[in-house]
Amino acid sequence: MSDNKVYRASTTAPVNIAVVKYWGKRDVELNLPTNSSISVTLSQADLRTLTTASCSASYPDGDSLMLNGELSDVSGARTQACFRELRARRAVLEASNASLPKLSTLPLKIVSENNFPTAAGLASSAAGFAALVQAIANLYELTDSPSELSLIARQGSGSACRSLFGGYVAWRMGNKEDGSDSMADLVAPASHWPNMRALILVASASKKGVSSTSGMQQTVATSGLFQRRITQIVPANMDLMEEAIKAKDFAKFAEVTMRDSNSFHACCADTYPPIFYMNDVSRAAIRAVESINTKAGKPIAAYTFDAGPNCVVYYLEEDAPAVLGGFAGVLGGISGWNENGADVKSGAKLEDGVA
Ligand code: ADP
Ligand code: DP6
Ligand code: CO
C-alpha cells in the first residue's frame, strides 16, 4: 500500500449465558470442548461489547488491542488464531478481485469496550471475541455465515462462538480432529419464546481469581466427577434442554438450567485443589429462587452461574411480579449486598439478531 488511508468498521456483540455449560477442553490448541452446550443470548440493551477494527499502513507497531482503555496483549495464540483466520479469508477475496485494497497485509488496531464487568463471570470473553471477529469480518467485507464465523470466534474463546447468534444457541462439540465441525447453530430465535426474561445480579464486579480457561483445564486434569458430567449428565441435559426450548416448557427449562449449573459448580468443587466461583451472595440468590418457586408451587425462576459469583435468573414476563418481588424481599435483607457493589438489572429481553 502506498497510501496511509485508515479502513475502519465497528460492531457490537451480546453476551450469552449458557443453560447447559461448556467446561473442559479436549484440544487446547484448537479450543475444542469436551461437551456440547446451549445458551441464551441476552439483549445488547443491557450487556454488550462495542468493538472497532481498523487497519492502515500508517500503524507503525503491528497489531494492537485496546480493551476498556488499556493496551492488551495480542501475542496470545487465541487472538493470533482469530487474526490469522480472518486475514486468510480476506486474502482469498483479494486474490480473486484485483481491485480490492490489500487489507490482509496491513496492521490491525482493535479498540473494544465492555459496558459490564470484565472477567467476572458474565461472559465478557464471549461478547468480546464475538465482537472482535465480527468487527474484523465487517472491515474485510467477508461474506461468511454466522456459523462459519463461529468457527473462528471459538478459537478466541469457546463461549464466543454462541454470541454470533441471537436467541437459543447450541455449540455442537463435533468429532473431527481439525475442529471443522465444532461450531454454533441456532436452536430457536428469541421470537420463538418472546416472554423469556433475564435478571442479572451482579454480586461482585471484581476480576475472578481463576480464569475460565485455566479453571476448566484444572477440572479436566483432576476431577473424577467431571467424567460423569461429560459422558452422562451433559448429553442428557442437552436433549432435555432442546426439547424444553422447542416446546416452550419453562418448568423443564428451569430444572435443567439449575441442575446443570449445580453440576458444573460441583465439578469445580471436585477439582483438586477446589475452585469456588460462587460466594455467600450467590448462595443467597439460589435460596431466593428456591423460595420463589416453592411459593409459586412450580418453577417460575431459574438461576445459573458461570465461572464467577454473578447470578442470571431466567423467568417469564408474566411471572415478573412474583420473581422480582421475591428477590426484593430476600436480597434486601442481606447485609453487604450493596457494599459489594451489587447491581440488579431486571427484565432484560433476549437478543434476536446480531450485528
Ligand atoms: P468471563 O467470565 O468474563 O468470560 P474469562 O475468564 O472467560 O471471563 O475471560 C476474560 C478475558 O476475556 C479477559 O481477561 C480478556 O482477555 C478477554 N476479553 C474480555 N472482553 C474482551 C473484549 N471486549 N475484547 C477482547 N477480549 C476480551
Ligand atoms: C462457565 O468460553 O470463557 O461460562 O474457551 O477458555 O475462553 P475459553 O473459556 P470460556 O468458558 C466459558 C465457561 C462458562 C460456561 C459457558 O459459557 O458455556
Ligand atoms: Co469467558
Side-chain angles (χ1 to χ4, degrees):
M1 292 291 301
S2 54
D3 63 49
N4 281 340
K5 190 168 168 185
V6 176
Y7 299 84
R8 183 178 280 115
S10 296
T11 194
T12 57
V15 154
N16 73 76
I17 299 294
V19 286
V20 177
K21 310 276 188 200
Y22 148 55
W23 194 252
K25 300 173 195 293
R26 67 177 195 274
D27 183 321
V28 172
E29 218 155 276
L30 292 171
N31 213 26
L32 299 177
T34 50
N35 58 269
S36 297
S37 53
I38 297 192
S39 60
V40 181
T41 298
L42 303 186
S43 162
Q44 297 195 54
D46 297 284
L47 313 181
R48 59 105 187 106
T49 298
L50 168 62
T51 298
T52 299
S54 62
C55 61
S56 173
S58 68
Y59 293 162
D61 302 321
D63 301 333
S64 66
L65 166 63
M66 189 81 129
L67 173 54
N68 298 330
E70 280 177 26
L71 214 51
S72 186
D73 182 27
V74 289
S75 66
R78 310 251 293 266
T79 307
Q80 285 297 315
C82 293
F83 287 176
R84 187 176 59 245
E85 297 246 349
L86 289 157
R87 281 194 164 110
R89 280 165 169 75
R90 171 70 188 185
V92 170
L93 293 184
E94 290 167 358
S96 66
N97 182 350
S99 68
L100 286 178
K102 301 270 175 293
L103 305 188
S104 60
T105 54
L106 299 180
L108 280 163
K109 187 188 279 186
I110 314 295
V111 178
S112 186
E113 241 183 63
N114 302 327
N115 71 345
F116 62 94
T118 298
L122 284 169
S124 71
S125 65
F129 276 96
L132 179 138
V133 168
Q134 188 68 60
I136 300 173
N138 293 352
L139 174 71
Y140 289 169
E141 298 183 321
L142 303 183
T143 53
D144 298 66
S145 67
S147 275
E148 285 164 335
L149 291 181
S150 83
L151 281 170
I152 305 178
R154 184 203 81 224
Q155 295 175 62
S157 175
S159 54
C161 75
R162 299 183 311 237
S163 270
L164 268 317
F165 295 84
Y168 303 83
V169 186
W171 172 14
R172 314 288 174 188
M173 64 182 287
N175 52 28
K176 291 197 180 149
E177 246 174 59
D178 66 357
S180 59
D181 59 352
S182 187
M183 57 167 90
D185 66 53
L186 187 66
V187 173
S191 55
H192 164 73
W193 206 349
N195 46 343
M196 182 68 84
R197 297 288 179 274
L199 170 71
I200 300 141
L201 301 163
V202 182
S204 166
S206 311
K207 192 175 161 165
K208 62 183 91 168
V210 181
S211 73
S212 297
T213 305
S214 144
M216 68 176 79
Q217 287 176 249
Q218 293 170 39
T219 301
V220 171
T222 64
S223 166
L225 196 53
F226 174 73
Q227 287 308 318
R228 186 162 137 71
R229 173 167 167 79
I230 61 168
T231 55
Q232 292 170 38
I233 295 169
V234 171
N237 284 351
M238 284 295 293
D239 289 346
L240 290 168
M241 185 53 78
E242 281 200 66
E243 287 164 20
I245 291 167
K246 290 198 168 124
K248 292 186 265 186
D249 180 343
F250 189 83
K252 191 171 182 176
F253 171 91
E255 183 174 340
V256 178
T257 296
M258 294 187 281
R259 281 184 180 275
D260 195 81
S261 175
N262 295 347
S263 152
F264 152 51
H265 288 278
C267 287
C268 290
D270 189 49
T271 300
Y272 194 78
I275 305 170
F276 302 113
Y277 285 119
M278 290 195 281
N279 62 21
D280 285 350
V281 179
S282 318
R283 285 182 281 274
I286 293 179
R287 282 192 291 275
V289 168
E290 279 174 355
S291 122
I292 289 163
N293 289 341
T294 304
K295 228 190 239 171
K298 61 176 183 181
I300 59 167
Y303 60 78
T304 186
F305 297 81
D306 270 3
N310 300 312
C311 182
V312 172
V313 177
Y314 291 113
Y315 63 96
L316 298 178
E317 171 63 25
E318 56 266 36
D319 295 318
V323 175
L324 305 182
F327 268 100
V330 182
L331 294 175
I334 296 175
S335 73
W337 176 256
N338 287 320
E339 289 103 286
N340 286 348
D343 184 14
V344 181
K345 281 182 193 288
S346 63
K349 294 194 179 167
L350 270 51
E351 183 70 22
D352 214 349
V354 180

